[in-house]
Amino acid sequence: MKKKLALIFAILVLSQTLFSCSDTSEDTTLSETASSMAETGGTAGEESAETIAEEETRQMHAVPSDLDYGGETFTIVYPNWQGYNYYFFANEYTGDVMNDAIFSRKSKVEDAIKITLTEVCPGYIEQIFPTVSASVKSDDDAYQLVLLHCIDGVASMVRGGLLYNLDDLNHTDLDAPWWNHRMMNELRLGKNTYYGVSDYMIPCPYTIYFNKDIVTECGLENPYELVYNKEWTVDKFISMAEGATADLDGNGKITNNDRRGVSYDETSKWISFMSGAGQKMLERSDDGEWKLGMNTEKMQTLVEKFYSLAIKDGVIAPANSLSVADGNLLFELNTLAHAVNYRESECNIGLLPYPLFDENQENYISLDWGGLMGCPTTIRNPDMVGATLELLAYESGNEVIPAYYEKLLEGKIARDEDTVAMLDIIFDTITYEPVGNYFGFDGGVNPIFYTIGSLAVESKSADYASYYKKNEKLASKVMERFFKDLEKVESMAE
């Protein structure tokens, strides 16, 4: 993944440099670090096109070259949600880089094993579970692949016995680099693998956008340098947000007409601070049972830190009221895909991973908010399904992922080495939060999942002990019922 980004950057930098409206000494300083690290092989290093080409020789996929399914249809059911509408399907060449890469992938997969790929969208995210459930109950092989929201229907599909064990598919090499075995293990709460993670499933992490000009004006530390040096921590984020906030019009109160430290569009954006700090929601007990793992000193500390930020006058803008592109905001919490909205911005914008808990934390962690994929138990031809999933994953790495990154880097949105290095870090540290994926909309779990945003930021409270005690019992019952159902489903399948 890192080398793909490097190659894309090498091509793009020839046509356009930074996405600032003017050249500044700040830009030069930021890119010097990346260039220096390139010479030493550091995180931000970019390699020559020849070196990349030599090392990009890929191992072959696990699909035999003589497979022929005689035009059999492979139908994908998906919700009208997020990236599924933009980054997954195309039915002709249009000249758009992303569209054409997707259509090329489709054509290559169809030609390779003689199938017909088609897709069905029954509605928004809540329609996927009942659609698939009805199909399975009627023993109907209507869908071969199910694409889901990151939370809605995830637990219901598994506990309802609707999903095929992907470990049993032929013609797939789940240890190959186009499959993410580590993340599939995170999502496996029982014996079987129900959700697949491959290059076909484009991640959707959150990121922190920042205004480079405000960093310079306020004499703040270089955020990129902080990231490279593993000094980009929660404390540093908070201190910089507070340091940038100012009553510019001198009327004694800070509004969106002044300069603020942080904005966010909705509460879930604060959850990634928890994951970024290495706080997992799930842990195994001594007897091997899964249980809620949120009653920790680290979580209490995180709540206290963000409570202290929330009660500082004017630092955090009201939800969905201010953008980093407005010119008077230091940090904006948003999706990485939101970058396309800043192509024509006159502001000098950068992006960052969510911060470390402290400098003792080994790696940055980026929570994926993208969807999940699984196969119904009613698939009639598992060999065809396995071959198709393998090819979709393999071909995505050839064209679709590079096209997606190029889309992110399009226009004025960050053609500099530092931003490419930040994308490297974000995508190379993607993870899931299984409790959030399986139970994020359930009573008890939902409030705990949203603790930082709901309790510390919006309710301006640091009383995590009482908050956790209030929700823990119901959350534990929700999880306990799920694991009992899962055990029944898997014992029946044996």
Side-chain angles (χ1 to χ4, degrees):
M1 182 173 292
K2 189 174 295 184
K3 289 182 172 60
K4 289 187 180 75
L5 275 173
L7 181 57
I8 293 165
F9 174 74
I11 296 170
L12 294 176
V13 77
L14 297 175
S15 61
Q16 186 173 335
T17 56
L18 303 177
F19 68 107
S20 63
C21 54
S22 63
D23 291 330
T24 67
S25 59
E26 172 74 3
D27 294 333
T28 302
T29 302
L30 295 179
S31 62
E32 281 175 354
T33 299
S35 298
S36 173
M37 296 187 78
E39 296 172 3
T40 61
T43 302
E46 308 300 339
E47 302 172 72
S48 69
E50 294 92 280
T51 302
I52 294 166
E54 289 174 5
E55 297 187 8
E56 274 296 287
T57 302
R58 304 180 76 197
Q59 69 183 70
M60 276 302 294
H61 53 69
V63 179
S65 59
D66 59 349
L67 291 186
D68 185 339
Y69 291 105
E72 190 170 339
T73 299
F74 184 99
T75 302
I76 303 170
V77 60
Y78 73 99
N80 178 20
W81 175 70
Q82 207 164 262
Y84 293 140
N85 292 321
Y86 309 109
Y87 303 131
F88 282 76
F89 309 109
N91 293 308
E92 62 179 355
Y93 288 115
T94 65
D96 176 81
V97 171
M98 190 71 197
N99 176 91
D100 290 356
I102 294 169
F103 184 67
S104 176
R105 173 183 66 191
K106 176 182 179 180
S107 300
K108 288 179 179 178
V109 173
E110 288 180 329
D111 292 344
I113 54 176
K114 306 301 184 291
I115 63 168
T116 299
L117 286 169
T118 187
E119 65 274 352
V120 175
C121 178
Y124 195 52
I125 60 175
E126 73 277 0
Q127 294 301 316
I128 297 301
F129 171 71
T131 298
V132 175
S133 179
S135 176
V136 171
K137 287 177 180 178
S138 63
D139 196 28
D140 179 12
D141 187 21
Y143 314 111
Q144 287 69 53
L145 182 62
V146 183
L147 302 183
L148 294 91
H149 177 259
C150 57
I151 300 174
D152 193 276
V154 172
S156 299
M157 289 280 190
V158 173
R159 74 194 314 164
L162 304 183
L163 296 181
Y164 193 89
N165 179 12
L166 301 183
D167 295 327
D168 293 338
L169 291 176
N170 290 325
H171 307 317
T172 58
D173 180 2
L174 299 183
D175 292 320
W178 45 89
W179 290 92
N180 193 322
H181 203 259
R182 176 184 59 81
M183 291 177 69
M184 286 192 285
N185 281 338
E186 289 186 5
L187 292 169
R188 185 193 291 112
L189 299 185
K191 299 176 183 177
N192 300 330
T193 302
Y194 300 109
Y195 292 111
V197 184
S198 75
D199 283 354
Y200 179 67
M201 301 299 293
I202 294 177
C204 185
Y206 292 165
T207 190
I208 300 176
Y209 296 95
F210 74 99
N211 187 312
K212 296 181 183 180
D213 296 326
I214 292 178
V215 169
T216 303
E217 292 166 12
C218 296
L220 301 174
E221 293 180 79
N222 179 336
Y224 290 146
E225 292 281 0
L226 292 172
V227 173
Y228 295 138
N229 296 329
K230 298 289 184 71
E231 297 172 352
W232 176 235
T233 63
V234 169
D235 285 343
K236 193 68 69 173
F237 168 83
I238 291 173
S239 66
M240 291 179 70
E242 293 174 352
T245 303
D247 179 14
L248 299 182
D249 57 17
N251 67 354
K253 58 182 180 180
I254 298 174
T255 69
N256 284 356
N257 294 321
D258 297 300
R259 188 170 63 224
R260 291 191 186 265
V262 189
S263 77
Y264 65 107
D265 61 343
E266 48 85 26
T267 317
S268 73
K269 299 304 183 294
W270 298 95
I271 295 173
S272 289
F273 283 105
M274 177 184 73
S275 298
Q279 173 62 58
K280 302 292 288 185
M281 295 187 70
L282 199 63
E283 66 180 15
R284 280 191 184 273
S285 62
D286 293 338
D287 57 2
E289 296 295 318
W290 288 109
K291 66 175 184 178
L292 201 61
M294 289 284 284
N295 190 16
T296 66
E297 182 179 346
K298 176 182 283 188
M299 194 62 200
Q300 176 65 53
T301 301
L302 285 169
V303 169
E304 291 171 357
K305 288 179 184 294
F306 285 99
Y307 164 74
S308 72
L309 177 68
I311 62 174
K312 294 290 175 61
D313 183 36
V315 176
I316 302 177
N320 207 28
S321 69
L322 197 61
S323 163
V324 73
D326 293 328
N328 60 333
L329 174 73
L330 177 59
F331 293 130
E332 178 183 356
L333 314 179
N334 216 314
T335 65
L336 185 57
H338 190 71
V340 298
N341 295 299
Y342 297 143
R343 292 174 185 166
E344 303 303 323
S345 173
E346 294 302 315
C347 292
N348 194 5
I349 301 170
L351 58 85
L352 304 163
Y354 273 68
L356 306 166
F357 178 71
D358 58 29
E359 293 182 27
N360 295 317
Q361 184 175 322
E362 185 175 352
N363 294 312
Y364 296 97
I365 301 172
S366 302
L367 184 62
D368 187 8
W369 290 85
L372 304 178
M373 71 172 182
C375 298
T377 55
T378 47
I379 55 174
R380 298 280 195 272
N381 193 340
D383 285 359
M384 184 270 285
V385 171
T388 304
L389 294 184
E390 176 81 352
L391 289 174
L392 284 172
Y394 182 83
E395 294 297 345
S396 293
N398 286 335
E399 294 183 72
V400 176
I401 288 179
Y404 174 66
Y405 292 145
E406 184 173 342
K407 201 80 173 176
L408 289 178
L409 298 168
E410 204 170 64
K412 290 186 176 181
I413 194 66
R415 302 280 179 91
D416 63 293
E417 291 177 323
D418 293 295
T419 300
V420 173
M422 296 303 106
L423 290 174
D424 275 348
I425 291 170
I426 290 170
F427 282 107
D428 286 348
T429 59
I430 287 286
T431 191
Y432 283 126
E433 174 44 73
V435 174
N437 289 121
Y438 281 86
F439 317 112
F441 288 162
D442 290 333
V445 178
N446 178 269
I448 295 175
F449 190 39
Y450 281 75
T451 292
I452 293 177
S454 296
L455 177 67
V457 174
E458 295 178 349
S459 297
K460 293 182 172 60
S461 171
D463 188 6
Y464 180 62
S466 298
Y467 183 83
Y468 182 81
K469 184 177 180 180
K470 176 183 176 181
N471 293 289
E472 187 270 339
K473 187 175 182 179
L474 178 56
S476 295
K477 284 185 176 180
V478 166
M479 293 172 57
E480 183 180 338
R481 286 197 298 267
F482 170 81
F483 283 110
K484 285 183 177 180
D485 291 342
L486 177 59
E487 186 177 355
K488 291 179 182 178
V489 166
E490 295 193 331
S491 63
M492 290 174 61
E494 291 178 351

